[in-house]
Each structure stands twice: as C-alpha cells, then as structure tokens.
Amino acid sequence: INKVVFAGGNILNVKANKRVLELEEVDDAFFYPAAGDDGTPVGAALQIYYELCKRDGKKPEFHPLEDLYYGCEFDDDYIKEVIKKEGLENKAEKYDGIEEIVGELLAKGEIVARFNGRVEWGPRALGNRSILADPRDFRIVRKLNSAIKQRDFWMPFAPTILEERMEEYLVNARPARYMILAFDTTEKRDEIIAAIHPQDFTARPQTLNEWNPSYRKILKTFEKITGVGGILNTSFNLHGYPIVGTPELAIWTFKNSGLKYLAIGNYLIKK
C-alpha cells in the first residue's frame, strides 16, 4: 500500500503526518481535515448515500474535497445592525476594497481580526475567522499571546502562504490547504519567522490557492508592499473559547481582547 488515507483525531498531530509523508514506502497520503468528531457526520452521511445508491441500482458519484467554507455567513446589512446595537457606529467604516485596507494594515505591523464569508468546517481557521499579522517580526508573538490570544508564550503560530510561492518557504513543498501538514522551512524562513515553530523551525501552513479570492487579495496586497508571500494566521478566538461564529461573538471577542482592528464583512472597526 503506497497511497494512504488517514482520519481520526490522531492525525491532528501534524508532526506525525510529516513523518508519514517522509516514509519511503508512502508515495502519497491524504489527511482528512475535519479529523475529530466534527468530521464523523460526513462519514455517516456517505455510508447512507452508498447504501441508497446500491438499493436503487445507481452508481455513486465522487467529488473531491475542496474548500472547507461550509458554515454560516452574514451579510453587511446584518453586520451593520450588530455594529449599531453594540454602539460602534462611530468607530466603524465601510470599504469597497476592505481586503486592500487589511493588507496595508498588516504591512504596517498592525494586527487585524477578520470575520468574512462562511465559517470554516473543522478545527483550523483558514482566513475567514482569523487573526492576521505580519510574520516578519517575532516580537508580534508576545503581543498576540499576552494581549489578544491570552495563551502560553510557547505555543507557536502558523502561516498562510500563497501556493504559488510555497517552494520558497517549505522543504518538499506540496499543497497544504487545511493546516494539517508540517514542513521543514527553507533559508527564507526569516520572512515568516513569527509564524513557524521557534525551536525546530517547522511550519504548519495553509497554502492558499484560488478557493478564497477575498483572502487572497489580502495576501497579494501584503506581498505587493513587502515582497513576502505569506502572513501569520491564527484562529479568531480567545484561548479556551471556540472560533467566533457570529458577528456578535466577533465583536465580543474584539472588545474583550487587545485587538485594535476588526475587519467584519466590509466594515473596519477600530478601537
């Protein structure tokens, strides 16, 4: 067996996944991104689907798993009402090109929380419910951990890297769109130093293709200004809390943390 599919909570251990891919016996492997209990209903649904196809004499259709943006989304009208309810009208401004604004803020060293589009399925924030930062300055790690994420200093962050530039930063690079693989990093690691493991310099990246055009605009703006092909991406939540799922929770987290900027829909809120 040279091609293997893995599922189950153990494959959230990205270092183990890295070792599997390095085995000579393994030509390729797929690691199911919703590896915990959140992915179990999909298996149950597929089982019933195959049984129904067999009963009805139909051939099952197969569709590759692509993006994981399966959850709820909220339009600007709803977000506007929440902003008004929270008394933040005077601190919020609507932009047609919010992605460019966010990219410019990141290039200036600002930290921006992002709530946009449909929420991600699975345990990883993949740009729509994320806190974003400039990965070049390791000092930003302390600020993220102490003032915003409120978690232990030793917990590493991860990068989102433009897929067309992944080979510049990752050794034995391959598409890693779900933040479930780990890689050694190249000599260009200093450009993303705040978003990799500080001890062994490995990275648990999200390589970003065309599945999320809005998020790509942020990275492309940041790249245009800085020349760097990635940013720091961590989940939008306080330590011990789930990833924010609604505008109300996004604003609550914004208010109860050291975050200065919140890009929510096409609105930018500034403290």
Side-chain angles (χ1 to χ4, degrees), residues 22-23 60 80 129 132 171 180 199 215 220 225:
E22 291 170 348
L23 293 172
K80 181 180 179 180
R129 303 292 186 275
L132 310 175
V171 176
I180 203 164
Q199 298 302 317
Y215 190 30
K220 294 299 288 186
I225 297 170

Side-chain angles (χ1 to χ4, degrees), residues 131-170:
I131 296 173
L132 310 175
D134 186 339
R136 297 173 295 174
D137 187 353
F138 192 77
R139 292 174 297 180
I140 210 163
V141 171
R142 179 183 294 274
K143 185 175 182 180
L144 281 166
N145 275 332
S146 61
I148 298 171
K149 294 288 285 187
Q150 300 173 7
R151 64 183 199 170
D152 294 324
F153 71 92
W154 50 266
M155 299 177 72
F157 291 103
T160 297
I161 297 172
L162 292 168
E163 198 159 288
E164 63 268 25
R165 295 191 60 182
M166 62 184 180
E167 293 182 357
E168 296 180 37
Y169 301 103
L170 308 175

Side-chain angles (χ1 to χ4, degrees), residues 72-83 92-102 112-118 127-130 132 214-215 218 236 244 246-248 250-251 261-269:
C72 297
E73 63 179 330
F74 302 84
D75 61 26
D76 280 343
D77 289 337
Y78 185 89
I79 290 170
K80 181 180 179 180
E81 289 301 313
V82 175
I83 291 173
E93 187 169 351
K94 188 175 183 181
Y95 292 92
D96 291 332
I98 187 72
E99 297 88 356
E100 287 80 7
I101 300 297
V102 172
V112 183
R114 184 171 193 258
F115 184 102
N116 189 283
R118 301 183 71 171
N128 284 2
R129 303 292 186 275
S130 293
L132 310 175
S214 176
Y215 190 30
I218 294 174
F236 185 8
V244 297
T246 65
E248 290 86 351
I251 290 176
Y261 292 97
L262 169 60
I264 180 167
N266 288 305
Y267 288 90
L268 181 69
I269 305 175

Side-chain angles (χ1 to χ4, degrees), residues 126-127 158-162 179 205-208 215 219 229-233:
L126 301 174
T160 297
I161 297 172
L162 292 168
M179 273 192 176
Q206 171 196 9
T207 61
L208 187 61
Y215 190 30
L219 271 79
I231 61 175
L232 185 153
N233 169 17

